[in-house]
Amino acid sequence: MPPSRSTRHSYDTVADRYATEIAGELDAKPLDRALLNTLAELAGDGPVLDVGCGPGHVTAYLADRGTRVSGLDLSPGMCAVARRSTGLPFAAADMTALPVRSGSLAALLCCYALIHLTGPQRAAAYREFARVLRPGGHALLAFHTGDGDTAPGGSRRITDWWDHEVDLTFHFLDPDAETRALAEAGLTVTARLDRAPHPGTEHASRRTYLLTQRPPAP
C-alpha cells in the first residue's frame, strides 16, 4: 500500500511554515553535519538523492559541499518550496516506488521521512533504496525512536499543526528491527549513532542514524 494521501496533503498544507521553522536548524546540530559530511565524502563525485527532502535545506547543505544532489518528496508543496529556496532539482515521488534507474546512485539520504510509513511500507522503501544504489553505494537514514510519551514501536497521530488541519501519524522506530528489515532488503548497517535531542532546536525525541551499504560487486 502506498503512503497515504493524507500525509501528502498535510505536508502540502504546512510547507511554507515548515520551511520557516526549520531554516538553519543544521547550525545547531554538529553530529548531523558530521554525518552529512561523511555521506558526501563517501559519494565522491557520484549522484546523491535526498529522499523525503522536505523544504530542501539538507539537500542544499550537501550541494554546498560540492555534492551532485537532487531531492524527492511525497509532497509537491514541499518540492515547490525547495526549488524556490535552493534552485536545486526536486520532484514529487513516492519512496516505495522511486522513479530512479536501478544502480544509478552513489548515495542516498532519508531523514525523518520513514516515520510516516508502516512496517510493510518501510520494507518496500528499503528494497527501493537497495535497487537504486550502485554496488558499494551508501544510504544514510535518520528516524525518531521515542520520547517522553512514546516508546520505540509506538506511534502518535496529530490533527492540528501550526493552526492547520492535518492528519499525520508519526511512528517511533526500533533501530534493531529496522536493521533487520534493511538486511532483508539487501542493505548492511555499517555504522549507527543514537543521540538525545538538542534542547530548543527540535522535538524532544531520541533519534537514531543508520549508515548502510549495498554490498560491493564481487
Side-chain angles (χ1 to χ4, degrees):
M1 180 183 298
S4 70
R5 286 177 291 180
S6 64
T7 301
R8 179 186 295 111
H9 175 72
S10 296
Y11 276 103
D12 283 345
T13 300
V14 301
D16 288 308
R17 177 66 182 274
Y18 188 98
T20 300
E21 292 289 334
I22 68 170
E25 69 161 357
L26 286 173
D27 294 344
K29 298 184 177 185
L31 290 174
D32 294 48
R33 297 196 307 273
L35 289 168
L36 293 172
N37 294 343
T38 298
L39 188 69
E41 182 174 343
L42 290 170
D45 61 359
V48 177
L49 184 65
D50 185 359
V51 178
C53 61
H57 63 302
V58 175
T59 325
Y61 180 89
L62 289 172
D64 288 344
R65 275 135 196 86
T67 305
R68 291 170 50 201
V69 63
S70 56
L72 295 178
D73 197 273
L74 184 65
S75 161
M78 285 289 190
C79 291
V81 170
R83 283 192 295 269
R84 188 167 65 242
S85 62
T86 70
L88 296 169
F90 295 91
D94 173 358
M95 76 172 74
T96 67
L98 293 171
V100 178
R101 182 167 51 87
S102 297
S104 62
L105 298 179
L108 179 149
L109 172 70
C110 186
C111 289
Y112 304 108
L114 293 164
I115 59 173
H116 296 301
L117 303 185
T118 64
Q121 289 168 346
R122 293 195 301 277
Y126 296 156
R127 290 192 294 270
E128 281 292 273
F129 295 174
R131 178 185 67 82
V132 300
L133 285 172
R134 298 172 179 173
H138 294 81
L140 176 63
L141 316 178
F143 49 83
H144 303 278
T145 62
D147 61 16
D149 300 313
T150 311
S155 63
R156 183 180 306 158
R157 179 171 175 254
I158 66 169
T159 56
D160 182 85
W161 200 4
W162 296 313
D163 298 322
H164 291 287
E165 184 177 342
V166 299
D167 184 2
L168 288 169
T169 298
F170 296 82
H171 298 280
F172 293 83
L173 308 185
D174 179 341
D176 293 332
E178 299 311 303
T179 297
R180 292 190 294 270
L182 287 159
E184 290 174 2
L187 294 171
T188 301
V189 173
T190 59
R192 170 176 163 178
L193 172 69
D194 302 318
R195 74 163 173 85
H198 294 297
T201 301
E202 58 191 5
H203 177 69
S205 63
R206 297 178 298 279
R207 292 133 193 271
T208 290
Y209 302 77
L210 299 178
L211 181 64
T212 73
Q213 185 179 34
R214 179 180 171 184

